[in-house]
Amino acid sequence: MQTEVLLPLIAYLLLVFGLSVYAYTRREQGNFLTEYFLGNRSMGGFVLAMTLTATYISASSFIGGPGAAYKFGLGWVLLAMIQLPAVWLSLGVLGKKFAILARRYNAVTLNDMLFARYQSRLLVWLASLSLLVAFLGAMTVQFIGGARLLETAAGIPYDTGLLIFGISIALYTAFGGFRASVLNDAMQGLVMLLGTVLLLVAVIHAAGGLHSAVDKLQQIDPKLVSVHGGDDVLSLPFMASFWILVCFGVIGLPHTAVRCISYKDSKAVHRGIVLGTIVVAVLMFGMHLAGALGRAVLPDLKIPDQVIPTLMITVLPPYAAGIFLAAPMAAIMSTINAQLLQSSATIVKDLYLGIKPEQLTNERKLKRFSSWATFVLGLLVLLAAWRPPEMIIWLNLLAFGGLEAVFLWPLVLGLYWERANAAGALSSMIVGAVCYTLLASIDLHIAGLHPIVPSLLLSLLAFYVGNKFGKQPRETVLKPS
C-alpha cells in the first residue's frame, strides 16, 4: 500500500464529506422533494457547467477512452473531440423550454415531465423500470472502475477499495442530496482539470518532448499517427455511430436532462454552455492525448485500460500521483452520485408517491425514505460490483445506449412536437429498448454501424406510427401558462 499516494486521496474524501455537511446546512425551507432532488433549482452558470461536465465525464473518459487512444493512436484523440458539443447540445436542445415546463408542472424528475406531457401512468412505469435497470448496470461499472483504480494505483485490495469507495458515495449522496451532489461536482470538475493538465505535461516530459513522443509512436506502428488509427478502426460508419452514442444521444440521458431543470436563470444557461464546452474540450483532449502519447513511455502494456493508472505512478512523484488519483475518482464519483440520486428520485417520486400520493404531505417520512432509498441503492450496487466481470466497458455502453434508445425521442419530440402523444412515446420506448438490447446482445453491426443508430431510427419510426393511433394531447400542454 502506497501511503504517499493515499494521503492526498484521503484529504480529498474528507473534503467531499465537508462539502456534503455544508450542503446539508444550506438546505432551504420549502418543498423537501424539490430541495433534496433539485437543490431548489438554484444552480448558477459555473456550477451548472461543472455538474453537467462531471456527470458526463465518467470512468470511461479517464480509463476506457485513454486506453483506446493507447491502442489505436492519435486518430482516437481526434475521434474523442467529436464529443465537444455534448454540453451545448444538452442545454441548447432541452435548455430553457425544458426548464420552463418543469417549473410549470412542478416536475422533480424526468418522469414527472413525461407524465405531465403524455398523461400515461403506464409510460411512467416503463420509463422508471428502464431507468433503474440501466442505472444499476451503469453504477456497477463505475463502482468497479473506482475499486480497480485504487487497486492499481494505490495497492489497496479490490474488495477493500470497493468498500471505501462505495460507502463513501452512498453516505455523502444520501446525506446531502442534490445540493451536495452539484457542489461536489463543481469541486470535482476543478480536480479533474488540474489532474489532466498535470498528467499530460508529465507524460510529454517523460517521453522527451512532443516531437520525440510522436516519433516513437511512428516507430512502434506508423498507423498510430494516422487519422484512421491502428488497425484502421476509425471508419466513417464507426465515427458516425460513436458521435451519436456519446454526443447527440446524451440529450436523452435522464441524469443529464435533470440538470437542465435545476438551474437558476437564463444567464446560468448561457454561461453553462460556454464554460461546460471549454471544460469538456480540455478534459477530453488532455486525457486522450496522454493515453496516446503514453505508448511512447510504456510501449508494452498488455491491458490498454491500465495506461492511466500505470502512467500515474510512473511519471509522477507519489504525492502528485495521489492528487491525480483524485481526478478519475472525481469523474467516477460525480457520475455515480448523479445516477444514484436520479434512481432514488425515481423510486420515491415516480413509484412510491405514484402508489401512495397521500404521503406527499408527510415531509418527515419522505426525508427518511429518500435518504434510505439512496443509501440502500448504493449498497446494492456495491454488492453487484463485488465479483466484477472482466470487460466492464461493454456493460457501460449497453446501459447508456439503452437509456438513449428509450428516452431520446419521447423527450425531444415531447418538447417540440405538439401532436406527440402517449401511444407514440410508448411505441418508441418499447421498440428502442427491444431493438437495442437484441442488436447489442448479438453484437450485430448493420453496415458497420453501432446498434444505437438503427435503434434510434426504428424508435423514431415507431413514434411516428404509434402516434397515428393515439389520442391527441391537449392543446395547452406545451404552451406556457
Side-chain angles (χ1 to χ4, degrees), residues 85-140:
V87 172
W88 175 77
L89 279 170
S90 297
L91 289 175
V93 173
L94 301 178
K96 294 179 184 178
K97 189 167 187 177
F98 197 58
I100 289 169
L101 290 172
R103 283 165 169 79
R104 174 185 166 189
Y105 299 141
N106 196 27
V108 174
T109 67
L110 178 61
N111 288 337
D112 280 346
M113 291 288 288
L114 292 175
F115 181 72
R117 176 62 179 85
Y118 296 111
Q119 296 295 307
S120 169
R121 187 55 63 185
L122 176 61
L123 186 146
V124 169
W125 278 87
L126 177 61
S128 299
L129 182 62
S130 302
L131 185 146
L132 289 172
V133 169
F135 271 1
L136 282 172
M139 287 188 290
T140 300

Side-chain angles (χ1 to χ4, degrees), residues 66-314:
Y70 178 91
K71 183 176 181 180
F72 300 118
L74 296 176
W76 195 276
V77 181
L78 293 177
L79 178 69
M81 297 311 292
I82 66 176
Q83 301 174 66
L84 198 60
V87 172
W88 175 77
L89 279 170
S90 297
L91 289 175
V93 173
L94 301 178
K96 294 179 184 178
K97 189 167 187 177
F98 197 58
I100 289 169
L101 290 172
R103 283 165 169 79
R104 174 185 166 189
Y105 299 141
N106 196 27
V108 174
T109 67
L110 178 61
N111 288 337
D112 280 346
M113 291 288 288
L114 292 175
F115 181 72
R117 176 62 179 85
Y118 296 111
Q119 296 295 307
S120 169
R121 187 55 63 185
L122 176 61
L123 186 146
V124 169
W125 278 87
L126 177 61
S128 299
L129 182 62
S130 302
L131 185 146
L132 289 172
V133 169
F135 271 1
L136 282 172
M139 287 188 290
T140 300
V141 169
Q142 303 299 325
F143 270 51
I144 294 168
R148 283 185 174 165
L149 195 64
L150 288 173
E151 183 182 33
T152 305
I156 298 174
Y158 176 85
D159 292 349
T160 306
L162 184 62
L163 282 172
I164 295 170
F165 186 72
I167 292 174
S168 297
I169 293 176
L171 279 174
Y172 93 72
T173 308
F175 184 68
F178 186 86
R179 196 176 291 273
S181 175
V182 297
L183 282 176
N184 276 301
D185 284 351
M187 185 265 292
Q188 287 159 347
L190 293 173
V191 169
M192 284 190 274
L193 283 171
L194 174 64
T196 298
V197 173
L198 182 67
L199 183 69
L200 181 59
V201 170
V203 168
I204 292 173
H205 180 266
L210 188 59
H211 190 272
S212 174
V214 174
D215 284 345
K216 289 176 183 175
L217 291 181
Q218 192 156 17
Q219 290 168 17
I220 294 169
D221 183 353
K223 289 183 178 180
L224 293 177
V225 295
S226 162
V227 293
H228 297 292
D231 300 333
D232 293 320
V233 70
L234 302 180
S235 64
L236 188 59
F238 180 86
M239 289 189 286
S241 301
F242 190 80
W243 183 79
I244 290 172
L245 182 64
V246 300
C247 188
F248 174 72
V250 171
I251 300 167
L253 292 178
H255 53 297
T256 300
V258 80
R259 259 73 183 153
C260 298
I261 65 175
S262 51
Y263 62 82
K264 184 165 54 178
D265 50 31
S266 297
K267 187 178 179 181
V269 177
H270 299 148
R271 187 173 294 172
I273 288 174
V274 175
L275 289 175
T277 302
I278 292 171
V279 173
V280 168
V282 173
L283 291 176
M284 286 296 170
F285 181 73
M287 286 309 307
H288 287 80
L289 185 59
L293 298 181
R295 191 153 180 181
V297 181
L298 305 165
D300 301 316
L301 279 182
K302 302 297 182 187
I303 303 174
D305 279 0
Q306 291 182 347
V307 62
I308 293 301
T310 309
L311 279 173
M312 188 171 66
I313 56 179
T314 303

Side-chain angles (χ1 to χ4, degrees), residues 55-77:
T55 302
Y56 176 65
I57 306 282
S58 67
S60 293
S61 307
F62 272 82
I63 305 296
Y70 178 91
K71 183 176 181 180
F72 300 118
L74 296 176
W76 195 276
V77 181

